[in-house]
Amino acid sequence: MRRSVIQGVGFLFLLLGPRVAAAQHPVTVPLPDGRYKTDILVVVAHPDDEGAATPYLARALDEGKRVAVVFGTRGSSGANEAGAEQAAALGEIREIEARNALATLGITNVWFLSGKDTASQNVLQSLASWGHGECLEQLVRLVRLTRPEILLTFLPGTFIGEDHGDHQASGVLATEAFDLAGDPTAFPEQISGPMKRLEPLLENLRPWQPKKIYYFADADREDIFRGKGPEYSVKDISKSSKQPYWRMALESFRAHQTQAKSFLDSLAQMDEAQIEKMATSDSGWSESQRFVLGKSLVGGTTTGDVFEGVKPGGILFVRPEAAAAPVMADLSAELAGPWSFYAEFRRAHALTNLPHPEPPEIALQAPGTLVIPLWLRNQTAQAQ
Ligand SMILES: [Zn+2]
């Protein structure tokens, strides 16, 4: 088999002999575009969600890290505090607001997936509305394009708190992309290059395995996240701006006029001490930013620095091993919907460190009705 291939190549050489001889000079193979290589890829849902991480991002930029951001949607729903524009037109404005907010910090590599704003706390609803498969394909492409060391995203889970379904969806997609972008069998057309004319859809990317994934929670409770990852004070002073990181985050947030004009206007009535108190309280960024380590493929400690153990260069892709399925009784009842999805999701992506409330929780507005989906399993041969 091998021999015949070599003979085949020899035959080709003979046929092309004179032309090949004329092209003896070395051929330069183009490398990936270095302008898009990133250290941290932030994956969030809506314009302004980046604010959940901006004090830390300002610190990382101070340390020379390269940061890029992906938004799931353009934020086309919700009220407009700055003008008359609504719906798709509002989305066009919010894209610019998000780009301007990040440009304030020096981040210009910013992308938007094709997700649509979804008013729900049910992640499955958001994934359906976004077009899960299409958005995942887009995000895997961006991971391969930006080759991040670290993914930073919302924690996928069901909690009392804002816990927006779209926020959860961004965390689900980022986790899936973490496990897929290095896999040469996932979206293989992205990592194939055109070999002849009329193959213009092959993208010529390379597989890329990020090294660590960290989450930030969108929950009211904080107890179960403590000690699960590193913490960074928002009051430390930036080397580059000589301002505290919370202040840089606030300046960045000023771009979001359509979402927070009344709040931003109210800042004009406050003195500096009042602004600091508000920005570093629990209703602002609180005193420190806390992340949860999802998983690391390069070792390091749970609460150590985000870049602990990260060295330059790629690492080998290893297909993640799912934990063993729990043993079920012959007859069983369990919460279905997002609750059973997340139990399976944590298992499938080997997220053994990921906190989740036990017993499960969800907020219910009073007066109101909560519909609880259940799986009823009967593994016996009889009706029960
Ligand atoms: Zn949001």
Side-chain angles (χ1 to χ4, degrees):
M1 188 76 167
R2 195 173 181 85
R3 205 179 150 79
S4 69
V5 169
I6 292 168
Q7 281 170 342
V9 170
F11 174 66
L12 202 68
F13 181 77
L14 277 180
L15 261 182
L16 301 174
R19 273 203 231 162
V20 170
Q24 283 293 306
H25 56 85
V27 175
T28 308
V29 177
L31 294 171
D33 192 332
R35 294 172 298 170
Y36 299 95
K37 168 75 181 99
T38 188
D39 295 305
I40 302 173
L41 184 65
V42 180
V43 182
V44 289
H46 313 118
D48 96 347
D49 287 348
E50 81 287 351
T54 40
Y56 170 72
L57 298 179
R59 174 192 297 266
L61 290 159
D62 262 0
E63 291 166 1
K65 306 297 188 217
R66 296 157 290 184
V67 179
V69 180
V70 176
F71 292 93
T73 85
R74 286 180 166 74
S76 59
S77 72
N80 182 352
E81 292 195 15
E85 296 78 5
Q86 295 293 325
L90 182 57
E92 301 292 353
I93 291 175
R94 288 197 170 151
E95 174 178 340
I96 300 300
E97 288 179 340
R99 290 184 186 281
N100 287 342
L102 288 161
T104 308
L105 297 170
I107 300 166
T108 51
N109 291 348
V110 180
W111 288 275
F112 291 78
L113 308 181
S114 59
K116 299 271 181 293
D117 278 15
T118 316
S120 166
Q121 285 187 313
N122 180 346
V123 65
L124 303 177
Q125 188 77 25
S126 289
L127 288 169
S129 142
W130 284 24
H132 187 168
E134 195 179 335
C135 284
L136 181 59
E137 180 185 353
Q138 294 165 2
L139 185 56
V140 168
R141 172 181 296 120
L142 290 171
V143 171
R144 288 170 171 169
L145 175 65
T146 58
R147 293 164 284 140
E149 310 296 318
I150 308 289
L151 290 188
L152 184 57
T153 186
F154 277 111
L155 192 142
T158 301
F159 297 94
I160 295 171
E162 185 187 359
D163 205 29
H164 197 299
D166 288 346
H167 296 180
Q168 298 175 50
S170 67
V172 166
L173 285 170
T175 307
E176 291 174 335
F178 182 92
D179 283 347
L180 287 177
D183 183 346
T185 67
F187 306 111
E189 62 283 3
Q190 293 182 357
I191 54 171
S192 301
M195 284 177 281
K196 56 182 190 208
R197 282 183 67 242
L198 305 179
E199 287 182 341
L201 299 179
L202 301 176
E203 301 182 35
N204 210 25
L205 292 166
R206 295 290 169 271
W208 179 262
Q209 176 60 62
K211 296 178 178 115
K212 291 181 172 185
I213 182 166
Y214 285 92
Y215 301 104
F216 38 87
D218 191 15
D220 281 354
R221 68 190 296 170
E222 293 192 357
D223 55 328
I224 58 175
F225 307 115
R226 277 202 197 98
K228 293 287 188 178
E231 287 187 29
Y232 297 93
S233 168
V234 305
K235 291 185 171 179
D236 287 351
I237 305 296
S238 158
K239 281 184 290 188
S240 60
S241 75
K242 314 289 182 227
Q243 291 182 324
Y245 289 120
W246 68 262
R247 172 48 90 174
M248 295 172 74
L250 186 61
E251 289 311 309
S252 164
F253 188 75
R254 282 184 191 280
H256 294 293
Q257 292 285 322
T258 60
Q259 302 205 57
K261 185 170 188 306
S262 53
F263 162 73
L264 292 163
D265 287 349
S266 74
L267 293 178
Q269 315 303 319
M270 295 185 197
D271 62 31
E272 191 62 20
Q274 287 171 313
I275 294 174
E276 173 167 2
K277 192 163 175 237
M278 179 273 306
T280 59
S281 72
D282 285 344
S283 58
W285 282 283
S286 75
E287 286 214 9
S288 60
Q289 289 215 289
R290 182 176 295 136
F291 299 128
V292 170
L293 174 62
K295 54 183 166 179
S296 167
L297 304 181
V298 293
T301 55
T302 305
T303 56
D305 182 66
V306 164
F307 283 89
E308 188 185 15
V310 173
K311 296 189 185 73
I315 56 170
L316 281 179
F317 167 71
V318 180
R319 202 159 269 119
E321 259 182 55
V327 180
M328 293 280 189
D330 279 350
L331 287 178
S332 64
E334 61 170 305
L335 286 174
W339 293 277
S340 61
F341 162 65
Y342 276 130
E344 287 291 321
F345 180 80
R346 288 191 297 270
R347 205 166 67 71
H349 293 280
L351 295 169
T352 49
N353 185 50
L354 201 66
H356 58 281
E358 212 52 78
E361 62 180 34
I362 194 160
L364 172 61
Q365 207 165 25
T369 306
L370 178 64
V371 178
I372 301 176
L374 291 177
W375 280 118
L376 303 176
R377 258 196 204 87
N378 175 5
Q379 300 187 112
T380 70
Q382 284 89 40
Q384 302 272 352

